[in-house]
Amino acid sequence: MTVDKSRVTTFDTWLLNCYNHSPTNDKDYTLTWISLLCWTIWKSRCLYVYQHQEVSPIVTLKATRNLTYEFLHATDASWYPPNQAGIGCVIRDSNRVLIAGTSYRESCGSVTEAETSAILAGAELAASLQLQDVIIESDSEEVILELKKKHGKVNWRTYLIIQQIRRKCSSFDSCIWVWIPREANRVAHGAASLAFGSVNPMRWASQPPPSLTNVLRNDGLPSPPMVTD
């Protein structure tokens, strides 16, 4: 992407110009990249002012690239146009110890559909383990709000999946839907990403895949010990 400096008057004008001149299939990427670049620059500025850390343009650009990739692809339901999705979910006990998880591919028409399907997968997994008091966490605020909604307009793209989730959750003694920040959902992100590296669906109990064990350890949360041959 090139920028004609002579045509830049205000930030909003420049942003609109970038959006209008981006290819149709790159518009989401362009807006995401610019937004996260601004946030990363601001964060670098704060680190310099308050913690006296040196500012590195290269580090800032690399951080922006990584955040953009995570935002667009590394959710608890990784989605690739036009309809490929990696669905992943994990179950932890009240002490946050990982006890089960699943990961598989599914055809979904949008990120929102994939995120909704991931919540359904979590509800189904919890039911198969005969759990009764369940808290379902997702970093998709849109889907969580849809689940909590009792009246008003509905998203017809996800309506049937939402109804399946509600029916499944009605079998629990209690079920709470909670939105969590993306950075707090890294293990589910890892589970979703595993779907694209495996032909068959994956499900595990006491021993998660090594890559998820590493994520758990990096998060400082309890996980089963790694088993080596």
Side-chain angles (χ1 to χ4, degrees):
M1 180 177 64
T2 57
V3 177
D4 183 357
K5 295 182 179 179
S6 63
R7 299 181 61 183
V8 177
T9 54
T10 60
F11 180 81
D12 58 327
T13 301
W14 171 76
L15 182 60
L16 183 62
N17 181 63
C18 290
Y19 182 82
N20 290 335
H21 288 82
S22 297
T24 301
N25 58 345
D26 281 344
K27 290 186 183 296
D28 285 345
Y29 178 86
T30 300
L31 286 180
T32 301
W33 193 89
I34 292 174
S35 300
L36 291 173
L37 176 62
C38 293
W39 181 84
T40 309
I41 291 174
W42 174 80
K43 182 179 180 181
S44 297
R45 176 258 180 197
C46 290
L47 289 174
Y48 176 79
V49 172
Y50 297 109
Q51 298 183 23
H52 309 293
Q53 293 186 15
E54 291 296 325
V55 176
S56 170
I58 295 177
V59 172
T60 300
L61 288 173
K62 286 183 177 180
T64 302
R65 180 192 61 190
N66 293 338
L67 287 170
T68 301
Y69 179 84
E70 289 181 5
F71 182 84
L72 293 175
H73 300 298
T75 62
D76 52 345
S78 298
W79 183 76
Y80 293 85
N83 58 5
Q84 292 296 313
I87 305 299
C89 66
V90 295
I91 292 183
R92 288 169 163 155
D93 63 17
S94 57
N95 294 316
R96 305 292 291 176
V97 175
L98 182 67
I99 59 175
T102 186
S103 176
Y104 57 90
R105 295 188 192 187
E106 186 169 297
S107 178
C108 296
S110 68
V111 174
T112 304
E113 288 182 50
E115 297 280 3
T116 311
S117 294
I119 293 178
L120 176 60
E124 291 176 336
L125 183 58
S128 71
L129 295 172
Q130 299 182 338
L131 303 180
Q132 294 303 316
D133 298 300
V134 177
I135 298 175
I136 296 179
E137 299 176 335
S138 171
D139 58 29
S140 176
E141 186 174 16
E142 178 183 355
V143 179
I144 293 297
L145 290 175
E146 193 73 22
L147 283 166
K148 292 181 176 181
K149 186 188 300 181
K150 295 183 178 180
H151 305 286
K153 295 181 179 180
V154 298
N155 183 340
W156 292 107
R157 290 182 177 273
T158 59
Y159 176 76
L160 293 178
I161 309 175
I162 292 290
Q163 292 303 101
Q164 286 181 273
I165 295 171
R166 286 174 173 158
R167 283 195 296 269
K168 184 64 65 174
C169 291
S170 66
S171 65
F172 302 136
D173 289 343
S174 66
C175 182
I176 302 173
W177 298 302
V178 179
W179 173 83
I180 59 173
R182 188 176 304 275
E183 57 269 19
N185 207 24
R186 292 178 180 175
V187 180
H189 297 170
S193 299
L194 287 174
F196 291 103
S198 177
V199 176
N200 299 316
M202 300 176 62
R203 180 170 173 173
W204 58 91
S206 60
Q207 184 62 43
S211 59
L212 288 189
T213 302
N214 291 333
V215 174
L216 285 162
R217 289 179 172 175
N218 289 335
D219 277 351
L221 295 172
S223 63
M226 292 185 65
V227 176
T228 58
D229 296 330

